[in-house]
Structures are given as structure tokens and as C-alpha cells.
Amino acid sequence: MADSGTSNQPAALSEATATATATATATAHVGLLSHPAHLISFGFGCGLFPYAPGTIATLWAWVIFLMVDPFMTDFSWALCIGGGCVLGAWACTITGKALGRVDDGSMVWDEIIAFWLVLWILPKASDPAGIHAMGNVPEWLIEAVGFVLFRCFDIVKPAPIRTIDRLSRDGWGVMLDDLAAAAYTLLTCAVLLRLAHLAEGWWW
């Protein structure tokens, strides 16, 4: 008898290949520059990567955040993220209709905005309150953990994220499920940081 794990591997690979092919086929007739909404929805091209476009877009969002954050205030980030949600809902609605799929995997603007929200709220060394929250955990490590958690929650989609994703009818649904993943990420990071503080107290 063949090993079940081994027999499932080709099926998993076939499914991943089929998904990538379906996305490529769906986006082939929707040009990146054919409409401003497509440029936004596709994350300025990140969503057109054949594999893991959501992860690519999240990495891109991280790089952009690190570049512009020194010049941003909390108020400007709030405006940027809030405006980005509204803009994304509009853009993803248009692109979803053009693709014939409400939440196609190539539409990654939701990942970008949601991860900016995560990075904005996570504690920072430049903020006195952030220093207290961070303890001895370096800022880069907190952001890296946030990245991994966000991608996990976005892929696994625990309740109610999966319900939001399944009930999505327009761009608002596309944006909301990733914002829910961001909320899960921030809550988990807060718990982990609290446990890190407790561990410091036990050891020292």
C-alpha cells in the first residue's frame, strides 16, 4: 500500500498549480494599466506573481512601511490606512467584476493595507510606550513575528475570517477578511509580548 502522505503530495502540488494557472488565466485579459482600479487591486504588480502573490505583497508592504514610516505621524498613518480601505473596496469591486471572481488571489491590496495596520500598531522603539511594551524584544523580531502570524491567519482563515471571505460580494468583503486577520495578528502579538515580560520576570 502506498503511503498516504506521499500519495497526497502530487494532489497538493496539482491543486497549487491549478490555482496558479486559474489566476494567470483570469488576469490575462485584465491589464495592470488598463484601469486605475486594477493597478491598485493588483498591488502595483505584486498580485501578478504566479506563486504566493499575497506573501509577495505583504513583503512589499513591509519594505514600503520601513521606508516611509520615519516621515509619518500617527494621524497620517490613520488617514493613509483608512483611505486605503475605502480606495481598496472601490478598486477590488471593479477588478473582481472584471475578473469574474469577487476575491481573486491576484487582488492583494487588502494584504498591503492590513499589514500596514499591523506594523503601525505594533510597538516601536521610537515610542516611549512602545519601549515599555517591547521589553527586551527587538523591534525587527516583533515585526517578523507579525509578518508570519499575519500570513498564517490570512491563509488558514480561522472564524470569522473564513465566513467573511465566503460571504464576500464586493470589495468591502475583500478588505474586511484581511483586516480581521490583522486583528488576530495584533491580539496574538500582544499575548506573546505579555508572555515575554512574564518570562523575563521569572528568569531575572
Side-chain angles (χ1 to χ4, degrees):
M1 181 185 295
D3 179 71
S4 60
T6 303
S7 62
N8 288 335
Q9 288 179 0
L13 290 173
S14 298
E15 183 179 352
T17 302
T19 301
T21 302
T23 296
T25 302
T27 57
H29 69 283
V30 180
L32 178 67
L33 302 178
S34 62
H35 193 291
H38 304 334
L39 181 65
I40 295 167
S41 299
F42 294 147
F44 301 96
C46 294
L48 301 182
F49 275 75
Y51 295 99
T55 300
I56 296 296
T58 307
L59 284 171
W60 184 85
W62 194 358
V63 171
I64 296 300
F65 182 91
L66 293 176
M67 291 173 59
V68 304
D69 186 53
F71 310 101
M72 300 282 279
T73 64
D74 284 336
F75 180 71
S76 58
W77 268 122
L79 285 179
C80 179
I81 293 170
C85 286
V86 175
L87 184 65
W90 165 78
C92 290
T93 297
I94 292 175
T95 303
K97 289 180 179 178
L99 292 172
R101 299 178 63 181
V102 175
D103 193 0
D104 189 79
S106 61
M107 298 192 299
V108 295
W109 183 253
D110 48 339
E111 276 91 353
I112 292 171
I113 293 297
F115 194 56
W116 278 350
L117 176 64
V118 170
L119 293 173
W120 173 44
I121 295 180
L122 285 177
K124 298 178 180 61
S126 58
D127 181 8
I131 294 175
H132 175 74
M134 291 167 62
N136 292 323
V137 183
E139 185 174 333
W140 68 266
L141 181 57
I142 296 174
E143 293 182 352
V145 170
F147 171 84
V148 173
L149 288 172
F150 176 70
R151 292 309 302 141
C152 288
F153 286 128
D154 190 31
I155 293 169
V156 176
K157 298 185 185 302
I161 301 174
R162 186 171 297 278
T163 301
I164 295 172
D165 183 63
R166 188 172 61 250
L167 297 178
S168 293
R169 295 292 180 268
D170 56 20
W172 283 110
V174 174
M175 298 301 300
L176 283 175
D177 76 322
D178 280 77
L179 292 174
Y184 268 108
T185 300
L186 290 166
L187 178 61
T188 305
C189 284
V191 172
L192 291 176
L193 284 172
R194 179 57 181 165
L195 291 175
H197 277 285
L198 292 174
E200 288 175 12
W202 292 335
W203 281 103
W204 302 105

